Structures are given as structure tokens and as C-alpha cells.
Amino acid sequence: MRSPEGPVRSETLILRRAQDERRVEGLAPRRRTVTMTPDARAALARAGFSRRDFLKTSGALIVGFSAAGAAQRIGLAQRGGGARGPQVDARQLDSWIAIATDGSVTAYTGKCELGQGISTAQLQLVAEELSVPIARVKLIQCDTSIAPDQGTTSGSQSTPTNFNERNLAQAGATAREALVRLASERLGAPVNQLAAADGVITVKGDASKRVSYGELVGGKKFSIPLSTTAKRKPASEWTVLGKPVGRVDMPAMATGQFEFVHNVRVPGMLHGRVVRPPAVGATLVSVDESSVRGLPGLVKVVVKKNFVGVVAEKPWQAIQAANRLKATWTPGVGLPSHRDFYDYLRKQKPSRDTFVVSSKDVDEKLAQAKEVLKATYLHPYQMHGSIGSSCAVADVQGDKATIWSPTQSAHPTRSGSALLLGLPVENVRVIFTRGSGCYGINGADTVSYDAALLSQAVGKPVRVQLSRRDEMAWENYGVAFVIDQRVGIDANGTIVAWDYEGWSPTLGGRPGYDRPGNVITGQLAGFEPAAFTPRTPAPDPGGAFDNGGNTAPSYVTGCVGGKCGGTGTVRSERVLSHTVKSHFFTGPLRSPSRLQNTFAHECFMDEVASRVKVDPVEYRLRHLSDARLSHVVREAAKAARWEARPSPRPDVRRTGIAGGRGISCVLYEGDNGYAAMVAEVDVDQATGRVRVKRIVVAQDCGPISNPDGMRNQLEGGALQGMSRALGEEVTWDDQKVTSIDWRTYHSLPLGFEVPAVESVLVNRTDVEATGSGETSITIVAAAIGNAIFDATGARIRQVPFTPERVKAALDARIGSSALL
Amino acid sequence: MAVTMATISLTVNGRSHALNVDPDTPLLYVLSDDLELRGPKFGCGLGQCGACTVIVRGRAVRSCVTPVGTLNRADITTLEGLGTSERPHPIQQAFIDEQAAQCGFCLSGVILTAKAFLDQNPRATDPQIQQAMSTVLCRCFAHTRMLRAIKRYAQEKA
Ligand code: FES
Ligand code: FES
């Protein structure tokens, strides 16, 4: 949508709401000359493509390289600037699927593997639709020269985008139907007499009449558009998709052979190191190059506005040079007190105000209610904190650039880098190469810019890996939140009005196609972050109900413009959010805003249930209108052997270890995956230490592509969410971020008492597939908070639930001193 | 600012190398940049996460904070020195069988720390294993599967 190249929109693409994470899969033009990493090349070679195949036949693969080997990487950058190729059109089947002479299949996708298992799932999808063994399918992902532009791999959107009746899934179905039609002509048998299996089409009942895919189209183009009517295989016939296929990359990862971007080596490659400002908002006064003169291996000190870096022959040399380089900076802008930050956040002006929903009768209904309950929830800035600090390799020579980048946004990074480097976008190629798990916008985009700027300055390929501090102190954090909740309840204890007001800070974000200043490197190099546009008061909600940020709780009707899109029964509803300017860069962190909002909604729902003395499962079900959401709540409760009774438990003791359970649920993004969770905890009331013993999560994400992959995501999400809930918080002093390593930012290590995580998968094949990478993480903080309350009667309304904070809440229990 | 170079001999995954390097260089850079090995990774450079782990004399060592000069003539095993995709080491096989990773970036730390510990403490209890893994990080939080894989390897050894 925002491509400067005026993307063509395919009729097979659905337009989803414009959302921070969402991009319409616009299609950018593609160049004809490409190289790929040795691994990708080897994959193609295994798939049976020869160089001539590329040159002559494939609509998607047009490759001008000769020999394999790393030298090609260089060759590409030097030679790659030929005339722009024709626009590759994602409406064309050949842009997605190619079949080689030996019948092996290559699929092209713009949704890339970040560790979430999507490459294996996409291989399963293509293998299934084409009736070939998975081993005969190769996947090329997110190389701007040869893969379709599907925007950003994020927001749990890969499954909805590529596994329903459009894009990659539809390409598979189109290809199969085309092959069957061709076989029908070749074999002189009607289409309904043919069966495809193992890459061969046979006449039913006469196995001697057969033709293979390779014989039908091998090495040639299909030259047909994606069909809108081609029928996908029904789930009842799936033999590969829907099965717990092991990750294809697992053996290489487990044996240390996998090529991460950190392992990319190109001939003549140098090593860069950036020098970031010592304080937020500090600007460069001067750099004293004599401070590093004569250091071994030093190639160059690079300064571009406030961007400073060094390039050396070896990484250790670059690190030493960067450490010694004397740079003088202005003082920073000064930061608000960390201790009083939430008050500061709430009072920030100006703000941008948005009504997600407003029935305009909330004040009246609250005034009439039997009782009004309110509570405030606080959530800190948190970071992605990738285990590997971010890394990229760039080769910028003359007016051509190639960037090996772990970005989630290959095509946008291509455009952003072109702006940063002052090059025409068609001269820039981004080759997605896997990095450390990112969970959103970690340092991947910014380090790609770092490498590009440093490479441009020396005219040689440069690899940059950030230091731990540079990764942590300058990434785009998941945002802090202050959330005020209020409900009115009637004489029956039913909620009659829900009032939400939230504040969160913002600065920058994903750079998209045209905002390199949305991350630190772009800003240092002179590009502005996206402008903050205040808006007060909030206009009435327009269009349809959009709960993409889960800003509205599950329990409201979500009525906008006469149509109700919510999952609940509460008709009197007001959901008002304020964004204000952040001092730190912010951006999507796994379940952005949805996690923070859901923490507040699901804890508050528990508080209300407790107030009216109703079992929290029962109370939720009473206020839900959506059958699928209610179903996962029941499934989670059933699997956990939930004992129906109000919280807190009747026999709460004020000392010793106290055990309890809590529930929470969400329809992720308002339309992208149903999940419910039960957590069981023990609270040590002497220390405030919380031990999570068991987590049960039930999920309905439509048809399941790979149940083991889904479980892996649910487990990882639950534990990552637990780490965030119990210990993670970005801290700062009056000048700079102080969470700069694993001693100052607390991630649960492998050695903590890991709870059992049980997942209940609801497989529904009669609905569209939705995402499942961010469901469990969204609900875990509330499930734990509610379990702590159930165990002890103490309510924790601030993340993280550190022992000190839990202890303070325990001590604050009414009457607790008398009982101790 | 002159740096004194030294010749260091290392045996890495059974191959010997003689390297002319600044002896203060952390071993990690020698392995990943001079020898272009993919197993050990830079995670933090501070000895806090485990991503750079290698095995030296049977012990898990964090190569990011170990100057190469202290390891002259040492025998070093990296993750790729244990086994290959085709013939994985039993602990690697256990991780494959349990599908015990997401991004896989942390695996040198997880697998080699567990292996070194279990090889020296074959009868380790669950709490002891937990203790041994207490400074290893996985930010994808594949913990449940990883601990299962580690226990599977422990049982197979026992
Ligand atoms: S990279 Fe060595 S411990 Fe983190
Ligand atoms: S699998 Fe990604 S950090 Fe462990």
C-alpha cells in the first residue's frame, strides 16, 4: 500500500484493516538478475534447476549467475544493475510456483521463517496442494529479487494470508488444476478420471496411463493467472498439511550447520561497529579521529550527521576501535523519572485520541448502576531482547547495494535502504537471511541500515553485529501502558457498562517503505521518525468495529455504525485510547498493545467476578456472545479440571505457600485466533515469589497446518509471556536506558522451574485459518495475576510481578496484619 | 597501541590450526570469523547467555569471554563438531526428536552446556540439571521441549 513504486494489488489478496502490523501485500517490481546465498542456490540445484532453466523458462527465477560459491555475492552487487526486469506479477501463477524438469517444485513466498516454523508449514501447504512429497518442494522466501512482496512477516498474519483461498495456497490449487488439465489433454482422459499422487497423474483404474509433472511442464512456465475458482483440497483429504511434520530446518540447527545471517561471509568483507550516543537525544559535536589512528586493522571512521561507526578488517579490531574512539556529544534531552513514569504518561500532552467504540450512554448507565467498580493497570516498556544481537551484511558499491538482512520486512527494507543510501530502489536488493528470533521489530532493520551505511562509506562489503548494549538500549520497545477500567453492575451482578481509557507512548516503529527514521540508525543519519499527529477530542468511531489492538474487552458488543463486531454482551461501551510521544523508539513486540490491553481486561473481569462472588469461568461465559470464544474457555477449564467457585479460594491463609488458579481468554486482534488459558501458581507469602506450576491453553485457530508447530508456538508464547509477566521491564536513569544486558533486563533462564504446558487444539476445518503465534502470550499475564489473587486475595495490577511487588500487595491485604 | 601477535595452536573439531592472532581476542571471533564455524554464536559477549558455548577439556566454556591466548594447544569442540545433519550426536538427535527449538540461535549454549554437564554427571537429578542450565537463555522459550530433550539424552546415557 505504501510502496513508492505504486504496487499492483492482486485480486486474490484480501484487504485487511490497516493496522500497525498489517500491510496489504502490495507487489513491487522485480529485477531480473539475482544471486542467492549458497544454501538457497544449493536448494535450487537440488530442485533440479540448471542455470539455463532459470534464464529461459521460469517466470520467477531469472538468474544470471554462473558458478556457485560465495564469490557470486560480490558479483551480484557489481553486476546487478542491469535494466529493470518486467514487473513480476503476483497475479501470475509463475510468480509463486515453478516445476523443474525432474518434477520438483519451487515455491516463492513473501512470508519468511523467523523461527516460528512457517517455512515448514508452507512446504506442507505446497506439497499438499500439488500432491508431491514434501522433500520435493523447495521454498524461496523473502528475497526482493525473486519473491513476491508480501510486506512484513508479522502480526500472526502469515497463516491467514497464505493458507486461505488466496496467495500461496491458491497458487498451489491453481497449479494442480492446471496440471490435471494438461494431463487430461495428454492422456486423452476426462479430468474427473484422473488422480494426482506423488507428482504423477494417472488415469483411475489404469495405472499404465500416467504422466509426471516434469513431463507436463517441467522447466516451462504455466503462463496463467492465479485462479479465483481453483478448489483447494478439502482438509479431509490432507495427508501432509495438518500433520505434525518436523521442522525441515531442525537437523541443521541442532548440529550447528544452519546458515544464519551472522554466518554470511562474502569475499573481501570487513567488519563494522557503530558508536551510539551516550544519552537519549544527544547529538554529535565532534569526533577525534586521532584517538584511533594507527589501531591495527582500522579501515575507516565513518560519520554521517549523528551516525558514527568504524570499519576494520576483523570484528575484534572494530570493537576496540569503537571503544577507543573519542566522540563528543551534547547532553541528552533528559528523561522523565522512571519511578513516576506512569503518572507522567497519563498527564502527557498533546495526545492522539481514538474511540474504538462509544455507545454514548456509558456515563448514564454508570450513574444508574447498582455499583461501579474501577481499577488501574500498569504495564512497562519491554524489549524484544533477541538472544543474538542483530547482524546484517551489506555490499554497497557504486550505485548498487545488496543487503543480507534478518528483517521481517524485506521489500520495505529495500525501499528504506534506498532512501538512506540515496540510491534508486531498483538498485537495491534485500536477501532475507535468518537471524535470531525477533518477536517483532528488534534490531534487525536498524542493523541492516548500519551495515548499508558503513559499506557505502568504504565501498566494500561490511558485516555489522550490534553489541548487547546497542541492541538493548536502542531497539524499538514494546510500549508501556496505563489503563483505567470502570464497569457498572446491576442488581443481578451483571455488567451493564464498560468504560476503558488507556495511555501509551509512541515513537517511530516499523520503517515501512519510506520511513527509515522510525529506527535509531535512520534517525541518526538524518531521517525523521513518522510525525506525531495529536488529535483531541477523539472523533466518533467510523467504519466498522476494529479491535485489532484488543483495546476493547471481549465482553462488549462492539457496535459501530449499527453493526456489532464484538464477542460480548455489554451494550454500553466506551473505549478511548490516547497515544502520546515516547522518548524511546517503540514498535511491535509480540502481541503489541494486545498483550497489555488483555492483561488489563482479563484481570479486571476477574476482579468484577470476585466482587459479585461468581466463578470466573462462569462469569466470563455469562458475558460472552461468541460461541468459539466460549468454547475455548470451556475447553481450557475442562482440561485443567477447573473447580467452579468464586475467587479468592475460601480458605486463603495469610502465611506460607498459597496455591491458586486463574483463567483468561482472548480473540486475538478481534478476529485472528481464539485462546483461553488456565494458570496454576504457588505464591510464597514470605518472599512474594511466584512459581507457575502448570499452564493449560486451549486454542481454536481454524484448520491446523501443523499441530506440533502450533504446540511449539503455544508453549513458547506461554513461557515468554510468563517471563514478561514476572520479570521484564526496561529501566532508565535521567539520561539513558539502563537495561543493557541480561543482568539489567531479566529473562527467565532455562534453569527455572518450568511449568508443565498443556495445549488443547481445537481443529476446525470449516472456517478460515488464523494465526497462532501470539495467542498464548497475550493471555498469560492475566491468567497468572488472577491465579495469584485466587491463592492469596492480593491483586497485582502492575507488570512485572516481581517478588517485591507481590510482597507489597500481600502486605496491603485488608486485615492481613491481624491475621499474620 | 601496538598489538603483539602470537601464534596459537588450536585443535577444533579434530582439526589442528595454527593462528597468528592478538592473544586477547576472544575465542569466539577466532572460531566464527577466522575458522568460519557456524555453531558458536555471539549472543551477548558478556558471558551471560551461553550462545557462544564450546567444549574444552570436557567443560562448557563461554568463548566470548575466553581470550584465545589462554587456550594454546587446547582441544575444542563446537556444536558442529558433535555430529552432522546426517549423523547427529545422540543429544542432537534428542533435540531433533523433541523438536526442541524455534529460531535455534541459542542451541550451542543449550546443547553443549547440557552435554558437558551430563557427561560429567550422568546420574544428575532434575534439580541438578536445572541448576546446570540456570545461566543459559533461550528467548524463544522452547524450554519445555529443551528440558525434555536433555532428559531424554540423560536417560539414554544412563
Ligand atoms: S555470547 Fe557468550 S555468553 Fe552470551
Ligand atoms: S530457539 Fe530461539 S533463542 Fe532459543
Side-chain angles (χ1 to χ4, degrees), chain A residues 314-339:
Chain A
K314 296 207 168 202
W316 183 239
Q317 296 167 335
I319 291 167
Q320 286 169 311
N323 289 347
R324 292 216 197 154
L325 184 71
K326 261 205 205 122
T328 310
W329 304 81
T330 64
V333 291
L335 298 174
S337 148
H338 181 259
R339 175 182 278 273

Short mmCIF file of all heavy atoms in Angstrom, two decimals, chain A residues 314-339:
data_model
loop_
_atom_site.label_atom_id
_atom_site.label_comp_id
_atom_site.label_asym_id
_atom_site.label_seq_id
_atom_site.Cartn_x
_atom_site.Cartn_y
_atom_site.Cartn_z
N LYS A 314 38.86 -6.91 11.09
CA LYS A 314 38.35 -8.01 11.89
C LYS A 314 37.39 -7.47 12.94
O LYS A 314 37.51 -6.31 13.37
CB LYS A 314 39.51 -8.72 12.59
CG LYS A 314 40.47 -9.37 11.61
CD LYS A 314 41.16 -10.53 12.27
CE LYS A 314 41.89 -11.35 11.23
NZ LYS A 314 42.12 -12.71 11.70
N PRO A 315 36.48 -8.32 13.38
CA PRO A 315 35.48 -7.84 14.35
C PRO A 315 36.11 -7.33 15.65
O PRO A 315 35.71 -6.30 16.17
CB PRO A 315 34.61 -9.06 14.62
CG PRO A 315 35.09 -10.16 13.78
CD PRO A 315 36.24 -9.69 12.96
N TRP A 316 37.08 -8.04 16.14
CA TRP A 316 37.69 -7.64 17.42
C TRP A 316 38.39 -6.29 17.28
O TRP A 316 38.38 -5.46 18.19
CB TRP A 316 38.65 -8.74 17.88
CG TRP A 316 39.29 -8.51 19.20
CD1 TRP A 316 40.62 -8.43 19.47
CD2 TRP A 316 38.63 -8.35 20.47
NE1 TRP A 316 40.83 -8.22 20.81
CE2 TRP A 316 39.62 -8.16 21.44
CE3 TRP A 316 37.28 -8.32 20.85
CZ2 TRP A 316 39.32 -7.97 22.79
CZ3 TRP A 316 36.98 -8.13 22.20
CH2 TRP A 316 37.98 -7.96 23.15
N GLN A 317 38.97 -6.06 16.11
CA GLN A 317 39.61 -4.77 15.85
C GLN A 317 38.57 -3.65 15.79
O GLN A 317 38.77 -2.56 16.31
CB GLN A 317 40.39 -4.83 14.53
CG GLN A 317 41.54 -5.83 14.56
CD GLN A 317 42.10 -6.11 13.18
OE1 GLN A 317 41.41 -5.97 12.17
NE2 GLN A 317 43.37 -6.52 13.14
N ALA A 318 37.44 -3.96 15.16
CA ALA A 318 36.38 -2.94 15.07
C ALA A 318 35.86 -2.60 16.46
O ALA A 318 35.60 -1.43 16.78
CB ALA A 318 35.25 -3.46 14.18
N ILE A 319 35.71 -3.61 17.29
CA ILE A 319 35.21 -3.38 18.65
C ILE A 319 36.17 -2.50 19.43
O ILE A 319 35.78 -1.53 20.09
CB ILE A 319 35.02 -4.74 19.37
CG1 ILE A 319 33.86 -5.49 18.74
CG2 ILE A 319 34.81 -4.55 20.87
CD1 ILE A 319 33.76 -6.96 19.14
N GLN A 320 37.46 -2.80 19.32
CA GLN A 320 38.43 -1.99 20.06
C GLN A 320 38.48 -0.56 19.55
O GLN A 320 38.57 0.39 20.34
CB GLN A 320 39.80 -2.65 20.00
CG GLN A 320 39.83 -3.88 20.90
CD GLN A 320 41.06 -4.71 20.68
OE1 GLN A 320 41.41 -5.02 19.54
NE2 GLN A 320 41.72 -5.07 21.76
N ALA A 321 38.39 -0.42 18.25
CA ALA A 321 38.41 0.93 17.69
C ALA A 321 37.18 1.72 18.16
O ALA A 321 37.29 2.89 18.54
CB ALA A 321 38.48 0.87 16.17
N ALA A 322 36.03 1.06 18.13
CA ALA A 322 34.80 1.75 18.55
C ALA A 322 34.89 2.15 20.02
O ALA A 322 34.47 3.24 20.42
CB ALA A 322 33.58 0.86 18.31
N ASN A 323 35.46 1.27 20.83
CA ASN A 323 35.59 1.58 22.26
C ASN A 323 36.52 2.75 22.50
O ASN A 323 36.33 3.53 23.42
CB ASN A 323 36.10 0.35 23.03
CG ASN A 323 35.04 -0.73 23.11
OD1 ASN A 323 33.87 -0.49 22.81
ND2 ASN A 323 35.45 -1.94 23.48
N ARG A 324 37.55 2.86 21.67
CA ARG A 324 38.54 3.92 21.91
C ARG A 324 38.20 5.23 21.25
O ARG A 324 38.77 6.27 21.60
CB ARG A 324 39.90 3.47 21.36
CG ARG A 324 40.43 2.34 22.16
CD ARG A 324 41.93 2.44 22.29
NE ARG A 324 42.40 1.14 22.71
CZ ARG A 324 43.60 0.68 22.48
NH1 ARG A 324 44.47 1.41 21.81
NH2 ARG A 324 43.94 -0.51 22.89
N LEU A 325 37.33 5.18 20.27
CA LEU A 325 37.05 6.39 19.51
C LEU A 325 36.50 7.48 20.43
O LEU A 325 35.55 7.26 21.17
CB LEU A 325 36.03 6.10 18.40
CG LEU A 325 35.75 7.27 17.46
CD1 LEU A 325 36.96 7.55 16.56
CD2 LEU A 325 34.50 7.02 16.61
N LYS A 326 37.13 8.66 20.36
CA LYS A 326 36.66 9.77 21.19
C LYS A 326 35.65 10.57 20.40
O LYS A 326 35.97 11.22 19.41
CB LYS A 326 37.84 10.69 21.54
CG LYS A 326 38.38 10.42 22.92
CD LYS A 326 39.07 11.66 23.47
CE LYS A 326 40.10 11.24 24.50
NZ LYS A 326 41.45 11.71 24.17
N ALA A 327 34.41 10.51 20.84
CA ALA A 327 33.37 11.31 20.21
C ALA A 327 32.78 12.22 21.29
O ALA A 327 32.62 11.81 22.43
CB ALA A 327 32.28 10.42 19.62
N THR A 328 32.50 13.44 20.92
CA THR A 328 31.92 14.39 21.87
C THR A 328 30.47 14.63 21.48
O THR A 328 30.17 14.87 20.31
CB THR A 328 32.70 15.72 21.85
OG1 THR A 328 34.09 15.42 21.99
CG2 THR A 328 32.26 16.63 22.98
N TRP A 329 29.61 14.52 22.46
CA TRP A 329 28.18 14.65 22.21
C TRP A 329 27.58 15.74 23.09
O TRP A 329 28.10 16.03 24.18
CB TRP A 329 27.46 13.33 22.53
CG TRP A 329 27.97 12.12 21.80
CD1 TRP A 329 29.07 11.36 22.12
CD2 TRP A 329 27.41 11.52 20.62
NE1 TRP A 329 29.23 10.33 21.22
CE2 TRP A 329 28.22 10.40 20.29
CE3 TRP A 329 26.30 11.82 19.81
CZ2 TRP A 329 27.95 9.58 19.18
CZ3 TRP A 329 26.04 11.00 18.72
CH2 TRP A 329 26.85 9.90 18.41
N THR A 330 26.49 16.32 22.65
CA THR A 330 25.75 17.24 23.51
C THR A 330 25.08 16.41 24.62
O THR A 330 24.93 15.19 24.47
CB THR A 330 24.62 17.96 22.75
OG1 THR A 330 23.67 16.96 22.31
CG2 THR A 330 25.15 18.72 21.54
N PRO A 331 24.67 17.06 25.70
CA PRO A 331 23.89 16.30 26.69
C PRO A 331 22.59 15.81 26.07
O PRO A 331 22.12 16.37 25.07
CB PRO A 331 23.61 17.32 27.79
CG PRO A 331 24.53 18.47 27.53
CD PRO A 331 24.85 18.45 26.07
N GLY A 332 22.03 14.78 26.66
CA GLY A 332 20.75 14.27 26.16
C GLY A 332 19.60 15.21 26.49
O GLY A 332 19.79 16.25 27.13
N VAL A 333 18.43 14.84 26.05
CA VAL A 333 17.26 15.70 26.28
C VAL A 333 16.71 15.56 27.70
O VAL A 333 15.89 16.36 28.12
CB VAL A 333 16.12 15.35 25.28
CG1 VAL A 333 16.52 15.76 23.88
CG2 VAL A 333 15.78 13.86 25.32
N GLY A 334 17.18 14.57 28.42
CA GLY A 334 16.67 14.34 29.77
C GLY A 334 15.43 13.47 29.71
O GLY A 334 14.60 13.60 28.80
N LEU A 335 15.34 12.54 30.64
CA LEU A 335 14.23 11.58 30.60
C LEU A 335 13.35 11.77 31.84
O LEU A 335 13.84 12.14 32.90
CB LEU A 335 14.79 10.15 30.58
CG LEU A 335 15.66 9.82 29.36
CD1 LEU A 335 16.28 8.43 29.51
CD2 LEU A 335 14.84 9.90 28.08
N PRO A 336 12.07 11.49 31.70
CA PRO A 336 11.18 11.58 32.86
C PRO A 336 11.58 10.53 33.90
O PRO A 336 12.14 9.50 33.54
CB PRO A 336 9.80 11.27 32.28
CG PRO A 336 10.05 10.55 31.00
CD PRO A 336 11.37 11.02 30.49
N SER A 337 11.27 10.80 35.12
CA SER A 337 11.65 9.88 36.19
C SER A 337 11.00 8.52 35.97
O SER A 337 9.80 8.41 35.72
CB SER A 337 11.21 10.47 37.53
OG SER A 337 10.85 9.43 38.42
N HIS A 338 11.80 7.48 36.06
CA HIS A 338 11.27 6.13 35.87
C HIS A 338 10.26 5.81 36.97
O HIS A 338 9.22 5.20 36.74
CB HIS A 338 12.41 5.11 35.88
CG HIS A 338 11.97 3.69 35.68
ND1 HIS A 338 11.84 2.80 36.70
CD2 HIS A 338 11.57 3.05 34.56
CE1 HIS A 338 11.40 1.65 36.22
NE2 HIS A 338 11.23 1.77 34.93
N ARG A 339 10.55 6.26 38.16
CA ARG A 339 9.70 5.96 39.31
C ARG A 339 8.28 6.53 39.12
O ARG A 339 7.30 5.87 39.44
CB ARG A 339 10.37 6.56 40.55
CG ARG A 339 9.60 6.46 41.81
CD ARG A 339 10.38 7.15 42.92
NE ARG A 339 11.40 6.27 43.48
CZ ARG A 339 11.16 5.41 44.47
NH1 ARG A 339 9.96 5.34 45.00
NH2 ARG A 339 12.12 4.63 44.93
#
